[in-house]
Amino acid sequence: MQRLPIKYAKPGMVLAKEAVTEDGMVLCGPGTELDAAIISRFQKAGLEAITVEGHPVRLPGEKGLRERIKELEMRFSRVKGDPVLMALMKLIANYWVEQEMPPDKSQQQK
Amino acid sequence: MTTMSSKEEIKARLKEVQSLPTLPAIVTKLNEMVEDEDVTAVQLGKIIEKDQVLTSKLLKMVNSSFFGFPQRISTVSNAIVLLGFNVIKTLIVTSSIFETMQTEDVSLWEHSLGCATVATVLAKHHGIKNPEEISTAGLIHDLGKIVIKAELPEEYEKIVELVAAEEIPMREAELKVLGVGHAEIGSWLVKEWNLPDRLTMPIKYHHAPSTAKGEARLAAIIHFSDILIRAIGYGSGGDPWVPELDHDAWNKIKMGKNEMREVLDEVEDKLAGLANFTDELTQGG
Ligand SMILES: [Fe+2]
Ligand SMILES: [Fe+2]
């Protein structure tokens, strides 16, 4: 799952969450495959961002999963003795890993 | 003794400083009016609306994606009805601090905004009344850090050096250099603003919520919001580490794995929605 500014929307991407405008208007439901017509409708409605399946775009400045998890572990380095916080760290790491899975794989997991 | 200054000395020095966010005259006036029980939101709104610059800043903030009200709030009195007088008052006093932060300390601004975002999500999960208050508390929880940086620049330098040299959290370095931490310094300020415990306790006790003298659950929420936003790595609170968890506080707001996943999901959603927030506030119109 990846949240993308609307300018990165490309035909073929699949919505992981409904597309909602700032005023709460729902344009499309999850599972919708984008095409040029839908994308231009989003732009006209002033939609700023969408959430799509998988992790199709490496945004400028965005770090890879491996690096993000290394930094996550560094941030938790002072609280290694706390089982609650260690569980939180694992939960966040798993959450990130699953987010980057392509849609078909995350389907199988469910 | 590693303490270079005493707490009382720091307190006295901060009192003398003129540029501290003291109460604008308008807030003093509003506080007086609120003591009169018959005063209405419309009357309070009228006083604020006399100041056009303040009014436009305030309306931008309450209409921003941060509070995310579905309808447009067009008058100050509506804002008071929807968000409550305490939130409006806090936004008035802190508006200039936020402006400085948005340009001069972006990472602390992001940390504050992120903490507020987590607090908003947790407030929903725990059915907290007046959720805008706890969101606002999240936004100003590290107010003390801004005060140290702005008013005690030499000490601030030493604190930053200590964090890097000894690899200790900023809170510990503050105690070594000032004899007092940012949470307590922040609480000296908010005390002057006549805010209820619901806003002051989470700020004063966000690093030791189980010692809070009231509103322990709200203090626990800000405590954990600070931890979670540092864990995710959004913005920076002055050092890179996740702070210790206060387990008594955690027991008050404990969540299981599934609920925590929902929280992570909602936080990410909200943070993405806030990508343009700072622009929203600074744009004209
Ligand atoms: Fe703090
Ligand atoms: Fe913080």
Side-chain angles (χ1 to χ4, degrees):
Chain A
M1 196 170 45
Q2 186 181 23
R3 181 97 177 159
L4 288 172
I6 193 70
K7 68 174 173 185
Y8 292 97
K10 288 266 150 35
M13 290 177 175
V14 178
L15 290 184
K17 288 186 177 171
E18 55 188 19
V20 198
T21 63
E22 288 233 329
D23 346 302
M25 195 172 56
V26 178
L27 300 174
C28 268
T32 309
E33 187 175 331
L34 302 185
D35 60 28
I38 296 175
I39 294 170
S40 89
R41 192 155 63 87
F42 285 175
Q43 284 162 341
K44 281 189 194 120
L47 189 74
E48 286 185 355
I50 51 170
T51 307
V52 297
E53 297 279 13
H55 198 93
V57 184
R58 174 68 54 91
L59 295 170
E62 190 185 326
K63 290 166 185 159
L65 184 60
R66 198 176 294 247
E67 196 184 347
R68 286 169 72 205
I69 290 183
K70 228 175 101 188
E71 290 180 1
L72 177 75
E73 285 169 351
M74 189 280 294
R75 291 195 292 272
F76 277 84
S77 61
R78 303 182 75 95
V79 289
K80 278 186 183 153
D82 186 322
V84 176
L85 289 177
M86 283 296 101
L88 177 66
M89 186 183 88
K90 283 200 191 104
L91 188 98
I92 295 172
N94 284 334
Y95 176 79
W96 286 351
V97 170
E98 280 169 38
Q99 265 186 333
E100 293 214 2
M101 277 188 197
D104 47 326
K105 268 193 193 162
S106 66
Q107 291 296 315
Q108 283 165 17
Q109 289 257 316
K110 275 169 197 167
Chain B
M1 268 303 269
T2 42
T3 301
M4 300 180 201
S5 314
S6 79
K7 185 159 131 185
E8 289 313 310
E9 184 201 324
I10 294 296
K11 198 169 186 175
R13 276 174 64 193
L14 286 177
K15 272 232 157 102
E16 284 167 15
V17 170
Q18 287 304 304
S19 58
L20 267 189
T22 45
L23 278 195
I26 192 163
V27 176
T28 315
K29 169 108 178 112
L30 294 170
N31 275 338
E32 282 166 19
M33 286 174 73
V34 174
E35 275 170 30
D36 171 6
E37 281 175 22
D38 295 330
V39 73
T40 64
V42 174
Q43 287 167 324
L44 292 170
K46 272 193 182 146
I47 297 289
I48 299 171
E49 277 167 0
K50 280 184 186 162
D51 185 333
Q52 288 181 12
V53 177
L54 181 62
T55 300
S56 104
K57 274 188 208 163
L58 202 56
L59 289 178
K60 259 184 215 164
M61 181 71 184
V62 298
N63 281 300
S64 71
S65 44
F66 178 68
F67 288 113
F69 284 105
Q71 76 280 32
R72 167 140 193 103
I73 305 166
S74 53
T75 66
V76 175
S77 57
N78 273 344
I80 295 173
V81 171
L82 280 167
L83 286 96
F85 179 61
N86 291 314
V87 169
I88 298 301
K89 194 161 81 177
T90 309
L91 295 178
I92 292 175
V93 188
T94 50
S95 75
S96 63
I97 307 176
F98 290 156
E99 278 168 21
T100 321
M101 243 165 113
Q102 281 156 17
T103 53
E104 282 170 28
D105 200 339
V106 180
S107 60
L108 184 60
W109 169 245
E110 283 175 348
H111 169 72
S112 306
L113 192 57
C115 177
T117 302
V118 180
T120 310
V121 170
L122 295 182
K124 196 187 96 191
H125 279 257
H126 290 92
I128 301 292
K129 278 188 223 150
N130 306 329
E132 290 78 21
E133 284 185 348
I134 193 77
S135 311
T136 306
L139 213 47
I140 62 170
H141 78 286
D142 275 340
L143 189 67
K145 284 187 185 161
I146 306 159
V147 174
I148 296 170
K149 188 176 176 181
E151 305 304 335
L152 307 165
E154 280 172 29
E155 283 84 352
Y156 179 76
E157 283 288 303
K158 280 183 202 151
I159 291 168
V160 172
E161 277 165 24
L162 265 185
V163 169
E166 294 186 17
E167 297 198 352
I168 53 171
M170 195 170 223
R171 295 177 305 287
E172 271 176 41
E174 286 164 356
L175 288 176
K176 283 193 174 184
V177 175
L178 302 170
V180 55
H182 65 272
E184 190 166 358
I185 292 183
S187 79
W188 296 342
L189 283 181
V190 290
K191 210 174 141 195
E192 311 270 311
W193 304 343
N194 236 338
L195 293 170
D197 286 356
R198 298 193 300 279
L199 275 151
T200 57
M201 290 297 163
I203 295 162
K204 183 164 183 181
Y205 295 103
H206 73 268
H207 290 297
S210 59
T211 61
K213 296 169 184 68
E215 303 297 349
R217 202 158 68 121
L218 296 181
I221 287 182
I222 295 299
H223 172 68
F224 188 67
S225 301
D226 181 61
I227 288 181
L228 190 59
I229 203 64
R230 279 169 170 268
I232 297 170
Y234 187 84
S236 166
D239 64 67
W241 301 291
V242 170
E244 272 169 40
L245 177 70
D246 180 325
H247 283 253
D248 287 338
W250 171 246
N251 284 334
K252 292 194 172 69
I253 56 162
K254 213 182 222 169
M255 286 161 285
K257 270 192 186 161
N258 289 337
E259 191 172 10
M260 273 308 299
R261 294 186 70 92
E262 282 171 33
V263 168
L264 287 176
D265 238 356
E266 290 161 31
V267 166
E268 187 177 279
D269 243 20
K270 277 199 189 287
L271 288 178
L274 284 172
N276 298 318
F277 171 66
T278 312
D279 293 339
E280 267 175 64
L281 292 186
T282 46
Q283 267 158 23

